[in-house]
Amino acid sequence: MAAEKWVLMVTAQTPTNIAVIKYWGKRDETLILPVNDSISVTLDPDHLCTTTTVAVSPSFDQDRMWLNGKEISLGGGRYQNCLKEIRSRACDVEDTEKGIKIEKKDWQKLHLHIASFNNFPTAAGLASSAAGFACLVFSLAKLMNLKENQSQLSAIARQGSGSACRSLFGGFVKWILGKEGNGSDSLAVQLVDEEHWNDLVIIIAVVSSRQKETSSTTGMRESVETSLLLQHRAKVQFLILSDCLEDIGSCYNN
Ligand code: ADP
């Protein structure tokens, strides 16, 4: 096999998550840092999920991505931010069966092809961005042999879409808003796993699969700029969150 002919691929599946205490409003739009902590429950990957395949080959001359079979631009800052963060942490990879050896430094010049499918309506309010960016970061981390743990990966997924950080764990998940200016401590942690509340059933009724008229980014920006109540909401949510955590904790202990 000629050196240029090989392709190395990884496929992953990631579920979406539904907020119990909702993330709404950013304090930093570039790093995607929220104004409040949030909690969500991750859905069963057999139901609503994203499947993403990432591939690398010396024959690829640029990074490209297809979403639900249609090519999309990777130009938007969010995709580039995730790719940059992951490439900077990439490690050596060796596939002895295929005779492929990629060194850490090679990742800076190798290009990627990414194909992703959502098995539920995209951009319609069912958190496709959460499942999508979590799956993108997870599959790339596997391909490039990152050593980071799930919470550290969640801080990268967050830079694609805030709520994506919570989709890297099952069960009930908290996104800690964090204090650091660079966002390094704004990440997700698992509160209890998917076995914790086994008989919990979430029914999702899709009333429309059409793309929503106001994207979450625009909606949040308008709330931050114009709502006098948003700061109060963030504070009230903090109190509810504390209660919620106690409840989950006490169920867990029982
Ligand atoms: P939703 O409520 O479905 O999250 P958003 O408008 O917040 O709607 O986000 C939709 C955007 O998320 C899409 O336009 C696309 O940029 C991104 N997205 C959706 N699915 C994926 C995916 N599987 N992989 C990568 N990005 C995705």
Side-chain angles (χ1 to χ4, degrees), residues 16 49-52 65-68 72 78-79 114-118 120-136 160-161 163 211-212 214-217:
T16 183
C49 78
T50 294
T51 305
T52 300
M65 174 161 182
W66 292 261
L67 176 55
N68 300 324
I72 60 164
R78 292 163 170 229
Y79 290 103
I114 303 160
S116 186
F117 286 89
N118 300 322
F120 60 96
T122 298
L126 291 170
S128 64
S129 52
F133 277 100
C135 205
L136 180 71
S161 166
S163 48
Q211 185 162 344
K212 54 193 181 189
T214 306
S215 74
S216 304
T217 303

Side-chain angles (χ1 to χ4, degrees), residues 98-147:
K98 289 186 174 168
I100 301 169
K101 200 168 175 189
I102 305 173
E103 283 180 33
K104 193 176 166 68
K105 63 175 171 32
D106 299 335
W107 288 109
Q108 296 299 330
K109 47 184 196 301
L110 281 168
H111 292 287
L112 301 159
H113 282 187
I114 303 160
S116 186
F117 286 89
N118 300 322
N119 72 350
F120 60 96
T122 298
L126 291 170
S128 64
S129 52
F133 277 100
C135 205
L136 180 71
V137 167
F138 185 80
S139 49
L140 287 174
K142 284 271 166 259
L143 180 74
M144 300 190 192
N145 196 18
L146 264 65
K147 306 290 185 226

